[in-house]
Amino acid sequence: TLLKDGVYADANSDTIVNVGDTIVYTFTVTNTGNVTVNNLTINDAVIGVSNLTVTPSTLLPGQVGTATATYAITQADINNGGVHNIATATGTDPNNNPVTDDSEDPTPIDPSSPDYDPSCPTCTFTDLGQTPQITLLKDGVYTDANADTIVNVGDTIVYTFTVTNTGNVTVNNLTINDA
């Protein structure tokens, strides 16, 4: 059996999920059969893990092996609110036949959670907090339309609006209103 757990690691300790922060995954493989399993490796396409060696890579019945992997969080992961993924442990029995198991999360997400993925009920889900936030700066520059150095009706003010995404998720459809 393969259990997989993911823990968010805040790279710069700012308590906001950022691109480049990481998730540290721990994989625990237990030989629940009655023969030795050899050459144990882990694969997880979502986080880019291929043939990660389990330590020890040979397990007698009842023995446990582990592996860890670190995954760098992307903007898409933050926009999605977290990472859903499943891993596969693969080894061989004494007759060189494959032995495999897909991972389960030791602390599975509640099926009533909005983050639950019914297409992958055993996926590991690592929640990534979303912090949507913008700041708006507005600057006005007076323009003397007739250059008489006197403020007159018809002179203008040119406003410049600068919007900055100060949160951690992509913000769409920005508009500005100024009555």
Side-chain angles (χ1 to χ4, degrees):
T1 61
L2 172 60
L3 297 178
K4 179 176 97 177
D5 197 17
V7 177
Y8 166 72
D10 189 355
N12 59 4
S13 302
D14 65 356
T15 68
I16 297 173
V17 178
N18 297 291
V19 171
D21 286 352
T22 59
I23 300 171
V24 178
Y25 288 99
T26 302
F27 304 92
T28 305
V29 180
T30 303
N31 182 346
T32 56
N34 64 357
V35 296
T36 301
V37 178
N38 300 295
N39 305 314
L40 282 161
T41 59
I42 307 282
N43 291 290
D44 187 328
V46 170
I47 64 170
V49 168
S50 179
N51 295 319
L52 177 66
T53 302
V54 176
T55 303
S57 64
T58 297
L59 297 179
L60 300 174
Q63 282 189 315
V64 176
T66 60
T68 59
T70 301
Y71 170 72
I73 295 167
T74 67
Q75 186 62 56
D77 297 329
I78 299 168
N79 288 349
N80 290 331
V83 177
H84 284 91
N85 58 330
I86 195 163
T88 302
T90 304
T92 55
D93 70 9
N95 295 319
N96 225 21
N97 294 314
V99 179
T100 65
D101 186 47
D102 288 336
S103 64
E104 294 181 15
D105 191 331
T107 54
I109 192 166
D110 186 320
S112 66
S113 168
D115 295 316
Y116 180 76
D117 182 356
S119 69
C120 189
T122 63
C123 276
T124 297
F125 176 72
T126 306
D127 182 50
L128 301 175
Q130 295 178 319
T131 311
Q133 186 173 334
I134 59 173
T135 59
L136 171 62
L137 299 178
K138 175 182 169 185
D139 191 22
V141 177
Y142 166 74
T143 303
D144 188 354
N146 61 7
D148 67 357
T149 68
I150 300 171
V151 177
N152 301 296
V153 172
D155 288 352
T156 60
I157 301 173
V158 176
Y159 290 100
T160 302
F161 301 91
T162 304
V163 180
T164 304
N165 182 346
T166 55
N168 70 346
V169 293
T170 301
V171 178
N172 299 300
N173 304 316
L174 287 164
T175 61
I176 296 171
N177 293 297
D178 187 337

